[in-house]
């Protein structure tokens, strides 16, 4: 127990290292989930021992650059979340957020059944146990693969609320046993991302018990939302994990942060 009465041993995050190797995958399916999100199904004999132990793991995808960004002949790497995988069937599902530019978007826009793609990783996993009393997951559309995977993998009836910032036509449905309450925060063309998320969260009341909060967004947005939850809404944090940075698929990558922390039960 710590000073709040929380059982930190029960809620301990496990860190797992994985063997780094490249795998060559073949596209077997392609589905447009929303106007800006395409889902690809892959298969490969190399997936027989693929491991992804956490909902927000990152794998590297390797794209041949076509020169549109001034780097013809170079291999471009981008981070993606394994949305779903099955080692017995040797399959992997990856969702692509389609932006206005970048090698990943160009590949996803033209990929056909039978095309191949190389991946690497994940390098490691930070496994948050499914033993909290509730979960709060916040992010933009780029975080949807990780949010969707977590919602679908949680145990039956555990409360999980999601706040996702997106365009009005980008909502998704997740099949889950958890008690999921989605909040879709649509951009209005005038308000900035931080203001929209802070406003949406203002009326949210955390459930009773020990909880876990996870945020993934552009770095300034993630920091501001965390500050709003802790300082303005009065929901204390207990030891946030250091933020991990990545990039969207843009010619000039935008710094992103993943921030998570524990909210102890009152008293």
């Amino acid at each position: 127990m710590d000073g709040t009465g929380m059982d930190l041993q029960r809620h301990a995050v496990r860190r797992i290292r994985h063997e780094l190797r490249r795998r060559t995958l073949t596209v077997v399916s392609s589905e447009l989930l929303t106007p800006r999100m395409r889902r690809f199904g892959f298969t490969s004999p190399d997936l027989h021992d693929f491991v992804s132990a956490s909902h927000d793991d990152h794998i590297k995808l390797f794209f041949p650059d076509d020169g549109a960004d001034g780097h013809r002949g170079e291999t471009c790497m981008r981070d993606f979340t394994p949305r779903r995988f099955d080692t017995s069937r040797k399959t992997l599902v990856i969702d692509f957020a389609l932006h206005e530019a970048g090698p990943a978007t160009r590949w996803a826009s033209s990929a056909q059944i039978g095309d191949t793609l190389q991946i690497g990783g994940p390098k490691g996993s930070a496994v948050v146990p499914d033993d909290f009393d509730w979960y709060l997951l916040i992010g933009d559309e780029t975080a949807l693969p990780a949010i969707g995977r977590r919602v679908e993998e949680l145990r039956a009836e555990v409360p999980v609320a999601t706040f996702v910032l997106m365009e009005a036509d980008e909502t998704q449905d997740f099949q889950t046993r958890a008690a999921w309450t989605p909040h879709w925060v649509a951009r209005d063309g005038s308000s900035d991302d931080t203001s929209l998320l802070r406003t949406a969260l203002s009326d949210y009341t955390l459930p009773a018990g020990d909880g876990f909060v996870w945020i993934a967004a552009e770095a300034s947005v993630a920091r501001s939302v965390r500050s709003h939850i802790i300082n303005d809404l009065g929901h204390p944090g207990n030891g946030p994990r250091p933020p991990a940075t990545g990039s969207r698929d843009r010619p000039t990558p935008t710094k992103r942060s993943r921030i998570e922390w524990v909210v102890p039960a009152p008293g």
Side-chain angles (χ1 to χ4, degrees):
M1 296 285 184
D2 71 347
T4 68
M6 176 180 290
D7 186 347
L8 293 181
Q9 184 173 3
R10 180 168 72 94
H11 296 319
V13 175
R14 291 189 301 117
R15 300 184 183 276
I16 304 172
R17 305 296 292 180
H18 305 302
E19 177 187 0
L20 274 178
R21 54 177 292 200
R22 284 202 186 193
R23 294 174 167 89
T24 300
L25 313 182
T26 300
V27 178
V28 293
S29 64
S30 174
E31 175 188 5
L32 193 64
L33 297 179
T34 71
R36 298 173 185 82
M37 185 75 72
R38 179 168 289 278
R39 172 168 293 174
F40 285 94
F42 298 91
T43 189
S44 170
D46 297 340
L47 292 171
H48 75 281
D49 59 353
F50 179 80
V51 178
S52 174
S54 177
H55 76 286
D56 59 356
D57 281 347
H58 285 164
I59 55 175
K60 294 287 185 184
L61 272 60
F62 301 90
F63 301 97
D65 199 294
D66 57 11
D69 297 335
H71 302 287
R72 181 175 293 279
E74 297 183 10
T75 298
C76 299
M77 296 181 294
R78 294 292 186 268
D79 287 342
F80 281 78
T81 298
R83 182 62 175 80
R84 189 179 299 126
F85 68 98
D86 186 330
T87 53
S88 63
R89 297 185 177 185
K90 303 180 181 65
T91 59
L92 174 65
V93 172
I94 302 174
D95 291 350
F96 284 65
L98 304 177
H99 303 295
E100 62 276 6
T105 293
R106 289 193 292 274
W107 183 91
S109 298
S110 62
Q112 302 293 319
I113 305 301
D115 287 354
T116 60
L117 185 67
Q118 284 197 329
I119 69 167
K123 184 177 182 180
S125 301
V127 183
V128 177
D130 187 7
D131 63 3
F132 286 90
D133 298 310
W134 54 266
Y135 295 82
L136 173 60
L137 312 176
I138 305 165
D140 56 22
E141 59 271 269
T142 309
L144 265 174
I147 290 174
R149 178 175 168 181
R150 185 57 165 170
V151 168
E152 292 182 350
E153 291 179 349
L154 285 171
R155 68 187 187 275
E157 302 304 322
V158 63
V160 52
T162 59
F163 287 79
V164 180
L165 182 70
M166 28 59 80
E167 304 302 325
D169 52 0
E170 291 295 304
T171 62
Q172 295 186 28
D173 187 32
F174 306 139
Q175 302 301 311
T176 180
R177 300 170 300 159
W180 175 42
T181 304
H183 301 266
W184 301 103
V185 184
R187 294 187 177 91
D188 58 15
S190 58
S191 304
D192 61 80
D193 289 0
T194 299
S195 298
L196 288 169
L197 280 174
R198 288 169 66 115
T199 299
L201 285 160
S202 294
D203 294 329
Y204 178 70
T205 301
L206 296 183
D210 297 341
F212 191 86
V213 181
W214 181 95
I215 307 172
E218 293 187 2
S220 61
V221 176
R223 288 193 299 267
S224 179
V225 170
R226 178 181 182 271
S227 175
H228 179 60
I229 293 172
I230 292 176
N231 299 322
D232 299 336
L233 303 185
H235 303 316
N238 184 20
R241 193 167 102 197
T245 59
S247 66
R248 292 189 180 188
D249 180 34
R250 292 178 177 172
T252 303
T254 302
K255 186 175 181 181
R256 296 177 56 80
S257 286
R258 184 183 65 221
I259 304 174
E260 51 193 48
W261 74 95
V262 170
V263 177

